[in-house]
Amino acid sequence: MPNNLVIVESPAKAKTITKYLGKGFEVIASMGHVRDLPKNKISIDIKNNFKPNYEVSKDKEKIVEKIKKKAEKSKNIFLATDPDREGEAISWHLAYLLNLDLNEKNRVCFNEITKSGVTYGMSNPKKVDINLVNAQQARRILDRIVGYKLSPFLSRKICGGLSAGRVQSVAVKIIVDREEEIKAFKPEEYWSISADFLPEGSEKKLSTLFYGYKTEKKEERLDLKNEAQTNKTLEELKTRNYKILRIKRGKRKRKPAPTFITSTLQQDASRKLGFQPKHTMKVAQELYEGIEIKDLGPTGLITYMRTDSVRVSEYAAEESRKYILDTWGEQYVPKEIRKYKVSKKAKIEAQDAHEAIRPTMPSYNPEKLKDNLNLDQYKLYKLIWDRFIASQMSDCIQNTTQIDITDIQENKYIFKASGYIVEFDGFTVLYTESKDEKSEQEKALPKVKKDSNLKLEKIESSQHFMQPPHRYSEASLIKSLEEYGIGRPSTYANTISTILSREYVTKEQKILKPTELGEVTNKLLNDRFDDIINLRFTAKMEDNLDTIESGKSEWVKILDNFYTKFKLALDLATNDMKGQKIDFEEETDIICEKCGRKMIIKRGRFGKFISCSGYPECTNKKNISKLNEIGVKCPLCNGGNIILRKTKKGRVFYGCNNYPKCNFASWDEVLSENCPKCGERLYKKTTKLSKFYCKNENCDYEKLEETN
């Protein structure tokens, strides 16, 4: 019988750790949180110092009994849940259920699930960090108070089934505020002039942009506001002869980005892989807890994925430098290990105890592990591995050139051209950090000499308009949340998932756009709870939670300060809006067959439905699926109608409205026409060409058409 019981959260993690601990140890999984606030009531005694009423979750009763029985037979019990606030809280709850002494050193943490990581963790047990637990409790209670007090208010005043959240509502506000900026934006006209010159003795043209003019003291940019001003300038420029005024050459170094932290991993996985943040964290958790690797068994492939620190162990850095040397050569290895600046926030948090997100075995490149990973695991591991290895590589060195051109007659007008060529690729041979904005493109300029003459080959003007700010993508929203200090990187995935599932926001081709429901809800919160649901207050609350974690603040006092302000705002809004309800509805193009009026989308206790706008005179209503009907009968059951549906990830497909009685589904559009060869139903797949085809295995009918 093993003398030592180790409790972790997941079976995958348990399996990997078991391999390293060997005989005398048994590892069991708690399957996440074992005790929590019950869902059917607020379960917080606000008057009694916000005392939470925790209960063992019903779905965890059997696993808790199993853990208790094994604990009774074990000499030593080690709490090895994840090394963060949530993990610390789970260990604290387990300690309570197992009657463990919180003064004993029975808490172990693994930054990586490898032999060295597990050995180090087991050799350095510590007490459960009560400050970390209190920070988690404070966050949980804050979110429960806001959710259970504010959500019913929204449901009464707008429509049923709404929710509010301390962080989620601010995330919606950021998206709605950006939409309002876009709507209010008035595009201003401006013009540019471009010219192509041919240098003496060269066949390669020099493409330039008109900058402005020279005065005795400096060069001044000429802003072209309209067509008349531009044409006047253009005609003047056409009459001139030109020469090279000056050539500025230089070198610039591009340094690699630091190893991933939670937020930057989510951003890059969104931009480069198209992963939703929640999916990124799910796959990262799998890589951390352990993957079955041929000849190695269950192995943790990355370090812990919830971290704010860019710090990397010296051992890991040296391993990466050795790999770089063996693969690309000495010139790709910097003289010293690269060390990146840790943010002020990470410095004051226990999270800096973790390293950045990196591969646990740098020598195991993605191709070496490809056969052991599923596609998404491979893609994310490659992203993490590439970024980590690149972070320890040499700078990319670029030769830059700026050429200024002026007219010979008066030395008055200025054209400019700039470009660069890569002298040494450095880290970019492996990895380049992605951005939301377009980056400058590499451009080599023709060889020219100062004062040499140029032939004006072409000159033309272009009209432009100032563009409104971009809508947020998941990646740019995460970046903004981090910059504002809203929420924690570990919560961003759930925040975005929640505002999408609640239909406050929609996602169209990676772009987040507020729905009418999101805008209406945000306006009510802005009008009535502006002092609480705002960027500054929410960021300050995150700072307060950090001070609880560091032991500098009392969690009850922080909660009391928040609740006093929150209750005052809620009571005032409730009294002021007594008997009021915001009229919220969305128009459709569906005509009521009973009275001829347009039908509208309404929301009730059980979700959305379509109702006649003539209510109460006309009580006609329909299932919401009517809105998505495409006017085609189901080819499988013939009685149902085909409707547009979406997967959980937002991918559109075609299904039968008789589901689950009829399970017909198709990624390709179902047509009402039948195949001219066999009589079966036709389908349409659209890419660059529209492909009409028959799914009958014995029929080869196919027709292609160009799409507009």
Side-chain angles (χ1 to χ4, degrees), residues 40-63:
N40 58 347
K41 52 188 175 181
I42 191 168
S43 302
I44 297 164
D45 189 347
I46 293 172
K47 294 180 180 179
N48 186 20
N49 290 330
F50 300 91
K51 184 179 179 182
N53 177 29
Y54 295 117
E55 290 182 4
V56 174
S57 307
K58 285 189 177 181
D59 61 335
K60 296 296 176 67
E61 288 175 353
K62 288 184 179 180
I63 190 67

PDB file of all heavy atoms in Angstrom, residues 40-63:
ATOM      1  N   ASN A  40     -27.616  27.740  -7.000  1.00  0.00           N
ATOM      2  CA  ASN A  40     -29.021  28.136  -6.890  1.00  0.00           C
ATOM      3  C   ASN A  40     -29.269  29.320  -5.959  1.00  0.00           C
ATOM      4  O   ASN A  40     -30.385  29.784  -5.806  1.00  0.00           O
ATOM      5  CB  ASN A  40     -29.868  26.938  -6.442  1.00  0.00           C
ATOM      6  CG  ASN A  40     -29.398  26.380  -5.108  1.00  0.00           C
ATOM      7  OD1 ASN A  40     -28.316  26.705  -4.622  1.00  0.00           O
ATOM      8  ND2 ASN A  40     -30.211  25.530  -4.514  1.00  0.00           N
ATOM      9  N   LYS A  41     -28.239  29.819  -5.289  1.00  0.00           N
ATOM     10  CA  LYS A  41     -28.396  30.992  -4.418  1.00  0.00           C
ATOM     11  C   LYS A  41     -27.054  31.702  -4.293  1.00  0.00           C
ATOM     12  O   LYS A  41     -26.014  31.166  -4.656  1.00  0.00           O
ATOM     13  CB  LYS A  41     -28.916  30.572  -3.045  1.00  0.00           C
ATOM     14  CG  LYS A  41     -28.111  29.465  -2.378  1.00  0.00           C
ATOM     15  CD  LYS A  41     -28.800  28.976  -1.108  1.00  0.00           C
ATOM     16  CE  LYS A  41     -28.038  27.778  -0.519  1.00  0.00           C
ATOM     17  NZ  LYS A  41     -28.695  27.260   0.696  1.00  0.00           N
ATOM     18  N   ILE A  42     -27.096  32.926  -3.738  1.00  0.00           N
ATOM     19  CA  ILE A  42     -25.865  33.729  -3.684  1.00  0.00           C
ATOM     20  C   ILE A  42     -24.823  33.085  -2.770  1.00  0.00           C
ATOM     21  O   ILE A  42     -23.619  33.171  -3.019  1.00  0.00           O
ATOM     22  CB  ILE A  42     -26.176  35.176  -3.247  1.00  0.00           C
ATOM     23  CG1 ILE A  42     -24.937  36.059  -3.464  1.00  0.00           C
ATOM     24  CG2 ILE A  42     -26.692  35.246  -1.820  1.00  0.00           C
ATOM     25  CD1 ILE A  42     -25.214  37.543  -3.351  1.00  0.00           C
ATOM     26  N   SER A  43     -25.269  32.453  -1.668  1.00  0.00           N
ATOM     27  CA  SER A  43     -24.392  31.658  -0.779  1.00  0.00           C
ATOM     28  C   SER A  43     -23.258  32.474  -0.161  1.00  0.00           C
ATOM     29  O   SER A  43     -22.164  31.957   0.077  1.00  0.00           O
ATOM     30  CB  SER A  43     -23.808  30.463  -1.545  1.00  0.00           C
ATOM     31  OG  SER A  43     -24.844  29.658  -2.047  1.00  0.00           O
ATOM     32  N   ILE A  44     -23.527  33.755   0.096  1.00  0.00           N
ATOM     33  CA  ILE A  44     -22.553  34.614   0.770  1.00  0.00           C
ATOM     34  C   ILE A  44     -23.280  35.375   1.879  1.00  0.00           C
ATOM     35  O   ILE A  44     -24.289  36.040   1.621  1.00  0.00           O
ATOM     36  CB  ILE A  44     -21.911  35.621  -0.206  1.00  0.00           C
ATOM     37  CG1 ILE A  44     -21.124  34.879  -1.291  1.00  0.00           C
ATOM     38  CG2 ILE A  44     -20.986  36.592   0.521  1.00  0.00           C
ATOM     39  CD1 ILE A  44     -20.788  35.733  -2.479  1.00  0.00           C
ATOM     40  N   ASP A  45     -22.776  35.271   3.081  1.00  0.00           N
ATOM     41  CA  ASP A  45     -23.360  36.005   4.215  1.00  0.00           C
ATOM     42  C   ASP A  45     -22.703  37.382   4.259  1.00  0.00           C
ATOM     43  O   ASP A  45     -21.673  37.586   4.908  1.00  0.00           O
ATOM     44  CB  ASP A  45     -23.109  35.238   5.515  1.00  0.00           C
ATOM     45  CG  ASP A  45     -23.881  35.835   6.689  1.00  0.00           C
ATOM     46  OD1 ASP A  45     -24.404  36.961   6.546  1.00  0.00           O
ATOM     47  OD2 ASP A  45     -23.940  35.179   7.741  1.00  0.00           O
ATOM     48  N   ILE A  46     -23.312  38.330   3.541  1.00  0.00           N
ATOM     49  CA  ILE A  46     -22.710  39.656   3.381  1.00  0.00           C
ATOM     50  C   ILE A  46     -22.558  40.365   4.721  1.00  0.00           C
ATOM     51  O   ILE A  46     -21.554  41.044   4.974  1.00  0.00           O
ATOM     52  CB  ILE A  46     -23.551  40.494   2.390  1.00  0.00           C
ATOM     53  CG1 ILE A  46     -23.453  39.869   0.989  1.00  0.00           C
ATOM     54  CG2 ILE A  46     -23.094  41.952   2.358  1.00  0.00           C
ATOM     55  CD1 ILE A  46     -24.383  40.469  -0.042  1.00  0.00           C
ATOM     56  N   LYS A  47     -23.545  40.199   5.597  1.00  0.00           N
ATOM     57  CA  LYS A  47     -23.513  40.890   6.895  1.00  0.00           C
ATOM     58  C   LYS A  47     -22.485  40.284   7.849  1.00  0.00           C
ATOM     59  O   LYS A  47     -22.099  40.914   8.832  1.00  0.00           O
ATOM     60  CB  LYS A  47     -24.902  40.860   7.528  1.00  0.00           C
ATOM     61  CG  LYS A  47     -25.930  41.672   6.741  1.00  0.00           C
ATOM     62  CD  LYS A  47     -27.295  41.622   7.408  1.00  0.00           C
ATOM     63  CE  LYS A  47     -28.318  42.441   6.615  1.00  0.00           C
ATOM     64  NZ  LYS A  47     -29.670  42.391   7.234  1.00  0.00           N
ATOM     65  N   ASN A  48     -22.075  39.065   7.557  1.00  0.00           N
ATOM     66  CA  ASN A  48     -21.114  38.376   8.433  1.00  0.00           C
ATOM     67  C   ASN A  48     -19.751  38.287   7.738  1.00  0.00           C
ATOM     68  O   ASN A  48     -19.229  37.210   7.466  1.00  0.00           O
ATOM     69  CB  ASN A  48     -21.640  36.983   8.786  1.00  0.00           C
ATOM     70  CG  ASN A  48     -20.765  36.266   9.801  1.00  0.00           C
ATOM     71  OD1 ASN A  48     -19.980  36.887  10.527  1.00  0.00           O
ATOM     72  ND2 ASN A  48     -20.894  34.946   9.835  1.00  0.00           N
ATOM     73  N   ASN A  49     -19.184  39.464   7.430  1.00  0.00           N
ATOM     74  CA  ASN A  49     -17.860  39.560   6.796  1.00  0.00           C
ATOM     75  C   ASN A  49     -17.755  38.769   5.496  1.00  0.00           C
ATOM     76  O   ASN A  49     -16.720  38.167   5.196  1.00  0.00           O
ATOM     77  CB  ASN A  49     -16.757  39.104   7.764  1.00  0.00           C
ATOM     78  CG  ASN A  49     -16.556  40.086   8.894  1.00  0.00           C
ATOM     79  OD1 ASN A  49     -16.773  41.285   8.730  1.00  0.00           O
ATOM     80  ND2 ASN A  49     -16.158  39.587  10.049  1.00  0.00           N
ATOM     81  N   PHE A  50     -18.869  38.757   4.754  1.00  0.00           N
ATOM     82  CA  PHE A  50     -18.885  38.122   3.427  1.00  0.00           C
ATOM     83  C   PHE A  50     -18.507  36.633   3.494  1.00  0.00           C
ATOM     84  O   PHE A  50     -17.861  36.095   2.596  1.00  0.00           O
ATOM     85  CB  PHE A  50     -17.951  38.847   2.451  1.00  0.00           C
ATOM     86  CG  PHE A  50     -18.309  40.281   2.246  1.00  0.00           C
ATOM     87  CD1 PHE A  50     -17.746  41.279   3.042  1.00  0.00           C
ATOM     88  CD2 PHE A  50     -19.228  40.649   1.282  1.00  0.00           C
ATOM     89  CE1 PHE A  50     -18.092  42.613   2.874  1.00  0.00           C
ATOM     90  CE2 PHE A  50     -19.585  41.977   1.103  1.00  0.00           C
ATOM     91  CZ  PHE A  50     -19.011  42.963   1.901  1.00  0.00           C
ATOM     92  N   LYS A  51     -18.950  35.996   4.556  1.00  0.00           N
ATOM     93  CA  LYS A  51     -18.605  34.588   4.739  1.00  0.00           C
ATOM     94  C   LYS A  51     -19.234  33.736   3.630  1.00  0.00           C
ATOM     95  O   LYS A  51     -20.446  33.741   3.436  1.00  0.00           O
ATOM     96  CB  LYS A  51     -19.097  34.096   6.096  1.00  0.00           C
ATOM     97  CG  LYS A  51     -18.688  32.659   6.393  1.00  0.00           C
ATOM     98  CD  LYS A  51     -19.187  32.219   7.765  1.00  0.00           C
ATOM     99  CE  LYS A  51     -18.798  30.766   8.035  1.00  0.00           C
ATOM    100  NZ  LYS A  51     -19.308  30.308   9.344  1.00  0.00           N
ATOM    101  N   PRO A  52     -18.409  32.999   2.882  1.00  0.00           N
ATOM    102  CA  PRO A  52     -18.948  32.157   1.811  1.00  0.00           C
ATOM    103  C   PRO A  52     -19.460  30.831   2.361  1.00  0.00           C
ATOM    104  O   PRO A  52     -18.896  30.277   3.310  1.00  0.00           O
ATOM    105  CB  PRO A  52     -17.738  31.927   0.898  1.00  0.00           C
ATOM    106  CG  PRO A  52     -16.553  32.049   1.797  1.00  0.00           C
ATOM    107  CD  PRO A  52     -16.935  33.009   2.894  1.00  0.00           C
ATOM    108  N   ASN A  53     -20.516  30.328   1.775  1.00  0.00           N
ATOM    109  CA  ASN A  53     -21.078  29.037   2.174  1.00  0.00           C
ATOM    110  C   ASN A  53     -20.721  28.003   1.103  1.00  0.00           C
ATOM    111  O   ASN A  53     -21.462  27.774   0.154  1.00  0.00           O
ATOM    112  CB  ASN A  53     -22.596  29.143   2.327  1.00  0.00           C
ATOM    113  CG  ASN A  53     -23.235  27.813   2.672  1.00  0.00           C
ATOM    114  OD1 ASN A  53     -22.615  26.962   3.305  1.00  0.00           O
ATOM    115  ND2 ASN A  53     -24.463  27.616   2.233  1.00  0.00           N
ATOM    116  N   TYR A  54     -19.563  27.399   1.246  1.00  0.00           N
ATOM    117  CA  TYR A  54     -19.098  26.428   0.261  1.00  0.00           C
ATOM    118  C   TYR A  54     -19.765  25.072   0.475  1.00  0.00           C
ATOM    119  O   TYR A  54     -20.060  24.682   1.608  1.00  0.00           O
ATOM    120  CB  TYR A  54     -17.581  26.234   0.356  1.00  0.00           C
ATOM    121  CG  TYR A  54     -16.773  27.453   0.002  1.00  0.00           C
ATOM    122  CD1 TYR A  54     -15.957  28.072   0.956  1.00  0.00           C
ATOM    123  CD2 TYR A  54     -16.798  27.989  -1.284  1.00  0.00           C
ATOM    124  CE1 TYR A  54     -15.189  29.183   0.633  1.00  0.00           C
ATOM    125  CE2 TYR A  54     -16.042  29.102  -1.616  1.00  0.00           C
ATOM    126  CZ  TYR A  54     -15.242  29.697  -0.645  1.00  0.00           C
ATOM    127  OH  TYR A  54     -14.502  30.794  -0.970  1.00  0.00           O
ATOM    128  N   GLU A  55     -19.980  24.379  -0.622  1.00  0.00           N
ATOM    129  CA  GLU A  55     -20.502  23.014  -0.565  1.00  0.00           C
ATOM    130  C   GLU A  55     -19.738  22.144  -1.556  1.00  0.00           C
ATOM    131  O   GLU A  55     -19.235  22.645  -2.571  1.00  0.00           O
ATOM    132  CB  GLU A  55     -21.997  22.994  -0.949  1.00  0.00           C
ATOM    133  CG  GLU A  55     -22.906  23.634   0.067  1.00  0.00           C
ATOM    134  CD  GLU A  55     -24.368  23.548  -0.354  1.00  0.00           C
ATOM    135  OE1 GLU A  55     -24.647  22.916  -1.411  1.00  0.00           O
ATOM    136  OE2 GLU A  55     -25.227  24.103   0.361  1.00  0.00           O
ATOM    137  N   VAL A  56     -19.683  20.851  -1.243  1.00  0.00           N
ATOM    138  CA  VAL A  56     -19.111  19.906  -2.203  1.00  0.00           C
ATOM    139  C   VAL A  56     -20.086  19.797  -3.374  1.00  0.00           C
ATOM    140  O   VAL A  56     -21.280  19.557  -3.176  1.00  0.00           O
ATOM    141  CB  VAL A  56     -18.888  18.522  -1.566  1.00  0.00           C
ATOM    142  CG1 VAL A  56     -18.433  17.508  -2.628  1.00  0.00           C
ATOM    143  CG2 VAL A  56     -17.860  18.613  -0.441  1.00  0.00           C
ATOM    144  N   SER A  57     -19.585  20.008  -4.570  1.00  0.00           N
ATOM    145  CA  SER A  57     -20.435  19.927  -5.757  1.00  0.00           C
ATOM    146  C   SER A  57     -21.008  18.515  -5.877  1.00  0.00           C
ATOM    147  O   SER A  57     -20.323  17.527  -5.576  1.00  0.00           O
ATOM    148  CB  SER A  57     -19.623  20.262  -7.012  1.00  0.00           C
ATOM    149  OG  SER A  57     -18.969  21.504  -6.845  1.00  0.00           O
ATOM    150  N   LYS A  58     -22.259  18.406  -6.291  1.00  0.00           N
ATOM    151  CA  LYS A  58     -22.920  17.100  -6.381  1.00  0.00           C
ATOM    152  C   LYS A  58     -22.170  16.137  -7.287  1.00  0.00           C
ATOM    153  O   LYS A  58     -22.079  14.937  -6.996  1.00  0.00           O
ATOM    154  CB  LYS A  58     -24.359  17.279  -6.874  1.00  0.00           C
ATOM    155  CG  LYS A  58     -25.292  17.833  -5.802  1.00  0.00           C
ATOM    156  CD  LYS A  58     -26.748  17.802  -6.256  1.00  0.00           C
ATOM    157  CE  LYS A  58     -27.652  18.284  -5.130  1.00  0.00           C
ATOM    158  NZ  LYS A  58     -29.080  18.254  -5.523  1.00  0.00           N
ATOM    159  N   ASP A  59     -21.628  16.673  -8.382  1.00  0.00           N
ATOM    160  CA  ASP A  59     -20.913  15.799  -9.313  1.00  0.00           C
ATOM    161  C   ASP A  59     -19.529  15.413  -8.801  1.00  0.00           C
ATOM    162  O   ASP A  59     -18.820  14.644  -9.447  1.00  0.00           O
ATOM    163  CB  ASP A  59     -20.796  16.467 -10.688  1.00  0.00           C
ATOM    164  CG  ASP A  59     -20.020  17.770 -10.639  1.00  0.00           C
ATOM    165  OD1 ASP A  59     -19.973  18.402  -9.561  1.00  0.00           O
ATOM    166  OD2 ASP A  59     -19.446  18.162 -11.667  1.00  0.00           O
ATOM    167  N   LYS A  60     -19.140  15.974  -7.629  1.00  0.00           N
ATOM    168  CA  LYS A  60     -17.823  15.642  -7.062  1.00  0.00           C
ATOM    169  C   LYS A  60     -17.925  14.833  -5.768  1.00  0.00           C
ATOM    170  O   LYS A  60     -16.896  14.520  -5.159  1.00  0.00           O
ATOM    171  CB  LYS A  60     -17.045  16.942  -6.788  1.00  0.00           C
ATOM    172  CG  LYS A  60     -16.729  17.747  -8.033  1.00  0.00           C
ATOM    173  CD  LYS A  60     -15.795  16.977  -8.967  1.00  0.00           C
ATOM    174  CE  LYS A  60     -15.544  17.736 -10.253  1.00  0.00           C
ATOM    175  NZ  LYS A  60     -14.789  18.963 -10.049  1.00  0.00           N
ATOM    176  N   GLU A  61     -19.139  14.490  -5.368  1.00  0.00           N
ATOM    177  CA  GLU A  61     -19.301  13.783  -4.092  1.00  0.00           C
ATOM    178  C   GLU A  61     -18.590  12.433  -4.089  1.00  0.00           C
ATOM    179  O   GLU A  61     -17.929  12.060  -3.114  1.00  0.00           O
ATOM    180  CB  GLU A  61     -20.796  13.600  -3.788  1.00  0.00           C
ATOM    181  CG  GLU A  61     -21.486  14.903  -3.401  1.00  0.00           C
ATOM    182  CD  GLU A  61     -22.984  14.744  -3.217  1.00  0.00           C
ATOM    183  OE1 GLU A  61     -23.510  13.636  -3.526  1.00  0.00           O
ATOM    184  OE2 GLU A  61     -23.636  15.701  -2.758  1.00  0.00           O
ATOM    185  N   LYS A  62     -18.691  11.696  -5.188  1.00  0.00           N
ATOM    186  CA  LYS A  62     -18.055  10.371  -5.246  1.00  0.00           C
ATOM    187  C   LYS A  62     -16.539  10.477  -5.243  1.00  0.00           C
ATOM    188  O   LYS A  62     -15.849   9.709  -4.557  1.00  0.00           O
ATOM    189  CB  LYS A  62     -18.532   9.627  -6.499  1.00  0.00           C
ATOM    190  CG  LYS A  62     -19.979   9.156  -6.414  1.00  0.00           C
ATOM    191  CD  LYS A  62     -20.369   8.346  -7.646  1.00  0.00           C
ATOM    192  CE  LYS A  62     -21.810   7.863  -7.535  1.00  0.00           C
ATOM    193  NZ  LYS A  62     -22.221   7.067  -8.731  1.00  0.00           N
ATOM    194  N   ILE A  63     -15.996  11.448  -6.009  1.00  0.00           N
ATOM    195  CA  ILE A  63     -14.535  11.585  -6.061  1.00  0.00           C
ATOM    196  C   ILE A  63     -13.995  12.062  -4.714  1.00  0.00           C
ATOM    197  O   ILE A  63     -12.915  11.646  -4.278  1.00  0.00           O
ATOM    198  CB  ILE A  63     -14.093  12.529  -7.205  1.00  0.00           C
ATOM    199  CG1 ILE A  63     -12.564  12.464  -7.387  1.00  0.00           C
ATOM    200  CG2 ILE A  63     -14.496  13.967  -6.970  1.00  0.00           C
ATOM    201  CD1 ILE A  63     -12.045  11.167  -7.889  1.00  0.00           C
TER     202      ILE A  63
END
